[in-house]
Amino acid sequence: MGGSERVVFQPNAEQLDRLRQAGSVAGSVLREAFSRVRPGIRSEEVCEWIEARIRELGARPAFPCNIGIDSIAAHYTPTHGDDMVIQAGVLVKVDVGVELDGFIADTAATLDLRSPYGHLVDVAREALKNALKLMKAGVKVGEIGRVIYETATRMGCRPIANLSGHEIRRFNLHAGLSIPNIPSNEPHRLKAGHVYAVEPFITLREAPGIVINTKTVNIFSVRDTSPKPKGLSQEELEALREIVSVSRGLPYTTRWLSGPAAAIHPRLYKRGLVYGYPVLVEKSGAPVSQAEHTVLVHEDGCEVLTEG
Ligand code: MN
Ligand code: MN
């Protein structure tokens, strides 16, 4: 790679410390959560425990805890009073985001509750491991996708083609580069001092290997963090202000809102005042596994921030 492409962003020592601390909280909370997930537990209980534990450790959730059973690949978080119970015989993906002073770490893993598709867990982990080995300044993002794809294929599986990893910036979970899970000719290269989440999603070889939107939307965000009173009723304005204060522009869920704001939330969504992330499922209903770490890229390799 040419010298001109080495744009080095040097976070100061205190910022690096916050970033590493966010990563360490995310990793340890995910690991702790897995020891609590067993058949019969409500998914809401798991997510509420995770989010409370993050706060107890002095950080904040960067997004609502995601739980994805089998073909639910991403963006499912339980609603308040959600009666979804985790059953035996399934794959459970748990995806955790931690924010500390704007520094964000994002990590996920899959638990096999004696599913017939338990091997998908190993494939996602192996694909992630191989991707991380490759990561250093100057590597093309398409090469990372190639390694993930080749690992999955060699192990008799397939990555989800339309889900990808992403760069992370301060207060911005999905910023800049995408890290594909399939080969691509994208010329973009990793840069030293930048933070990336790598997250292979793996499904069965015979499945289409793409995710589609469902009608369920439980995770939202507000882009405009200074809502103007124009055209808004007093209660809508108050609800939007609460959302901004609760979410700080990051993704949120109605579980985090008070009664009045939660009650008029469907109207805010319908009117396009807040943005929704539909639950994503594998198109054919095939089971999906996921493994994710957040890394800080250096000139000669990468530092995994979310090992618990
Ligand atoms: Mn994640
Ligand atoms: Mn991510």
Side-chain angles (χ1 to χ4, degrees):
M1 80 180 206
S4 63
E5 286 163 333
R6 293 191 188 212
V7 181
V8 180
F9 158 69
Q10 199 58 60
N12 71 36
E14 198 184 327
Q15 291 175 327
L16 268 180
D17 195 54
R18 297 264 158 76
L19 176 63
R20 289 187 175 121
Q21 212 178 325
S24 148
V25 168
S28 65
V29 169
L30 180 60
R31 192 166 39 83
E32 280 183 88
F34 267 12
S35 67
R36 310 173 79 88
V37 175
R38 66 188 73 87
I41 196 168
R42 288 168 55 243
S43 63
E44 185 188 9
E45 193 184 323
V46 176
C47 290
E48 294 265 292
W49 184 88
I50 286 173
E51 293 161 7
R53 184 77 182 126
I54 291 169
R55 293 192 166 99
E56 203 174 276
L57 293 170
R60 293 195 271 198
F63 51 81
C65 167
N66 283 215
I67 284 210
I69 307 291
D70 287 342
S71 65
I72 297 175
H75 297 170
Y76 185 83
T77 197
T79 52
H80 179 64
D82 200 308
D83 57 7
M84 201 261 272
V85 172
I86 295 172
Q87 310 287 340
V90 300
L91 297 179
V92 185
K93 293 171 290 297
V94 179
D95 196 332
V96 171
V98 168
E99 178 261 317
L100 194 60
D101 199 21
F103 295 96
I104 294 172
D106 181 5
T107 185
T110 307
L111 190 64
D112 172 20
L113 294 179
R114 306 177 74 119
S115 157
Y117 307 106
H119 63 287
L120 293 178
V121 175
D122 303 325
V123 180
R125 290 176 58 142
E126 189 71 12
L128 175 59
K129 193 178 90 184
N130 291 340
L132 295 179
K133 274 191 223 161
L134 191 71
M135 292 186 77
K136 62 177 184 174
V139 170
K140 285 185 186 170
V141 295
E143 285 305 305
I144 300 164
R146 181 181 312 281
V147 162
I148 289 169
Y149 178 83
E150 282 172 358
T151 305
T153 308
R154 193 173 61 241
M155 296 176 81
C157 297
R158 174 193 298 279
I160 300 286
N162 60 342
L163 286 175
S164 56
H166 47 96
E167 190 170 348
I168 299 176
R169 293 190 190 148
R170 201 167 175 194
F171 283 115
N172 194 344
L173 178 62
H174 291 99
L177 292 190
S178 286
I179 313 285
N181 289 324
I182 55 172
S184 99
N185 292 324
E186 271 192 73
H188 304 293
R189 296 169 188 270
L190 303 181
K191 289 176 182 170
H194 287 230
V195 176
Y196 305 90
V198 190
E199 48 183 319
F201 288 82
I202 306 294
T203 189
L204 306 177
R205 180 171 44 195
E206 59 271 28
I210 56 171
V211 290
I212 54 171
N213 286 350
T214 67
K215 286 183 179 146
T216 305
V217 185
N218 293 350
I219 298 177
F220 305 88
S221 72
V222 53
R223 294 273 159 78
D224 180 5
T225 52
S226 54
K228 310 291 180 299
K230 204 181 168 197
L232 296 177
S233 71
Q234 190 57 32
E235 67 172 352
E236 287 169 341
L237 190 61
E238 276 165 24
L240 273 175
R241 285 187 178 138
E242 177 175 339
I243 290 166
V244 168
S245 113
V246 164
S247 71
R248 298 153 298 127
L250 289 165
Y252 68 92
T253 182
T254 50
R255 275 191 289 112
W256 295 355
L257 303 178
S258 72
I264 75 153
H265 192 272
R267 192 162 89 212
L268 300 181
Y269 178 54
K270 211 170 285 171
R271 289 189 53 191
L273 296 166
V274 299
Y275 177 85
Y277 302 86
V279 172
L280 301 172
V281 297
E282 205 285 329
K283 192 181 178 192
S284 68
V288 178
S289 65
Q290 175 196 15
E292 178 178 27
H293 273 310
T294 296
V295 306
L296 174 63
V297 162
H298 297 299
E299 291 293 344
D300 55 354
C302 77
E303 177 182 344
V304 179
L305 299 168
T306 43
E307 242 138 31

